[in-house]
Amino acid sequence: MTVPQRTVVLGTLGFGTIVDEETSFRLLDHFVESGGTVLDTADNYAFWLDGATGDESETVIGRWLASRKARDRVVISTKVGARPAVPGAGLEAAEGLSEKAVRAAVEGSLRRLGTDHVDVYWAHIEDRSVPLAETVETLADLVTSGKAGEVGASNHAVWRVERARALAGDGPRYAHLQYRYSYLQPRFDVPLPSSAHVHATPELLDYVRSEGDLRLWVYSPILSGGLTREDVGIGAAYDHPGTPKRLAALRAVAEETGASVNQVALSWLLDHEARILPLVGVSKVAQLDEALGALDLTLTAEQRRTLDEAAL
């Protein structure tokens, strides 16, 4: 299957850990029954939790695919590079993006997912210890051999993406990019909530707009519920004068449309000129329904202008 032009991607980071298997199955069933098709995971979710190894998300998805015979109904997106090579270690011991690491990792992912191919295979984080050409050639070979449909880069510097695409020449090259992004914009001088997160910059958005074959996927589009939940919060990186103005604009448009604040924020992303696919993680069916409801919301030109002009 191919990635739709306009869709909400189901993030599965917590499946098998924060979200138990029974609930994960229920969410996956409801997602597909509601017309969803794209699942996003990684070979390291969620290794940082006590008792977790990084196998959990892919394993739960694999069991669901087998029990529902649903492989041909979904797009599977998974990642390589950020799984600790040493049990109990962190990103300082990440598997990396060498040919050996990538080939071993894809076999592990395919085994856990119970499939012979993934639709999008990502370089999860940068690995500057390995020649870029080695990573590019290895990922291209996975596409040529049929183990991956397309490849992408997550959390990379823009210049590294451009260089990788140039190195690929006429062969398979990065067609998807994944970064943190939301309607609220963070300060540049305060760390993001996770040190592994890389925020989409104006330069990156301009790059995506200029390249007709690139799709931008964004995680944390509603800041883990922080747009509406005071108990969650949005973090120090968003503590600046522009944030209240943007939140006020979201609430005003939500009241005007009858949609929720989260749906307005997701709709703003879905119809962004950079052709953005928001990736939403959920733990309840109601949260999933809210996110999918954004697909039915089309903001007027005036409403988009209200949002775009906030905090300028």
Side-chain angles (χ1 to χ4, degrees):
M1 292 184 67
T2 59
V3 179
Q5 289 298 304
R6 187 176 187 273
T7 194
V8 170
V9 178
L10 179 59
T12 64
L13 181 151
F15 286 12
T17 50
I18 300 169
V19 183
D20 63 45
E21 184 165 316
E22 180 181 355
T23 303
S24 299
F25 274 38
R26 184 161 59 249
L27 290 167
L28 288 163
D29 287 341
H30 190 71
F31 181 66
V32 171
E33 290 164 1
S34 300
T37 59
V38 186
L39 309 178
D40 184 76
T41 185
D43 72 347
N44 72 331
Y45 289 159
F47 78 85
W48 52 89
L49 298 177
D50 287 344
T53 65
D55 288 353
E56 287 80 4
S57 177
E58 288 184 330
T59 298
V60 165
I61 292 172
R63 289 174 180 159
W64 176 81
L65 289 171
S67 68
R68 306 302 194 258
K69 296 180 172 55
R71 179 62 187 91
D72 61 349
R73 300 179 64 189
V74 293
V75 172
I76 297 179
S77 153
T78 195
K79 310 178 190 75
V80 57
R83 181 186 178 101
V86 179
L91 290 179
E92 76 283 352
E95 63 196 340
L97 298 174
S98 68
E99 178 180 6
K100 180 180 179 180
V102 171
R103 292 193 184 280
V106 75
E107 295 302 330
S109 288
L110 294 177
R111 182 179 65 255
R112 288 186 289 273
L113 290 164
T115 184
D116 62 357
H117 74 285
V118 293
D119 300 290
V120 183
Y121 198 49
W122 304 80
H124 199 167
I125 58 175
E126 288 191 22
D127 179 4
R128 298 194 183 186
S129 71
V130 173
L132 191 53
E134 179 179 335
T135 301
V136 169
E137 291 168 8
T138 304
L139 292 173
D141 185 65
L142 295 184
V143 175
T144 303
S145 66
K147 292 185 178 181
E150 294 181 304
V151 291
S154 173
N155 301 312
H156 282 50
V158 180
W159 71 267
R160 295 274 292 179
V161 173
E162 171 60 18
R163 183 167 295 180
R165 281 165 58 86
L167 285 169
D170 295 329
R173 61 181 185 168
Y174 292 146
H176 303 270
L177 303 179
Q178 189 172 144
Y179 295 80
R180 182 185 177 106
Y181 192 65
S182 67
Y183 175 66
L184 297 191
Q185 297 296 294
R187 298 170 52 157
F188 69 89
D189 58 341
V190 176
L192 291 168
S194 171
S195 61
H197 289 185
V198 177
H199 200 275
T201 62
E203 178 189 19
L204 184 137
L205 295 173
D206 182 52
Y207 180 56
V208 171
R209 285 192 296 263
S210 70
E211 299 290 304
D213 63 336
L214 271 177
R215 299 303 308 279
L216 176 60
W217 304 32
V218 301
Y219 57 86
S220 300
I222 54 176
L223 303 180
S224 302
L227 294 181
T228 58
R229 293 175 53 188
E230 292 185 4
D231 61 311
V232 173
I234 55 177
Y238 298 90
D239 184 11
H240 59 80
T243 293
K245 296 178 181 178
R246 289 204 170 210
L247 285 172
L250 278 177
R251 292 166 184 149
V253 173
E255 183 175 356
E256 184 177 329
T257 60
S260 71
V261 166
N262 287 335
Q263 287 172 333
V264 171
L266 290 172
S267 180
W268 181 81
L269 291 168
L270 283 163
D271 295 323
H272 197 284
E273 59 182 342
R275 301 187 309 138
I276 290 173
L277 300 179
L279 193 160
V280 179
V282 300
S283 59
K284 299 177 182 178
V285 169
Q287 295 169 338
L288 180 56
D289 282 337
E290 181 185 29
L292 292 174
L295 292 167
D296 299 322
L297 175 62
T298 301
L299 302 176
T300 65
E302 183 176 351
Q303 289 163 348
R304 288 197 68 86
R305 187 159 50 250
T306 295
L307 295 170
D308 292 339
E309 292 179 353
L312 289 180

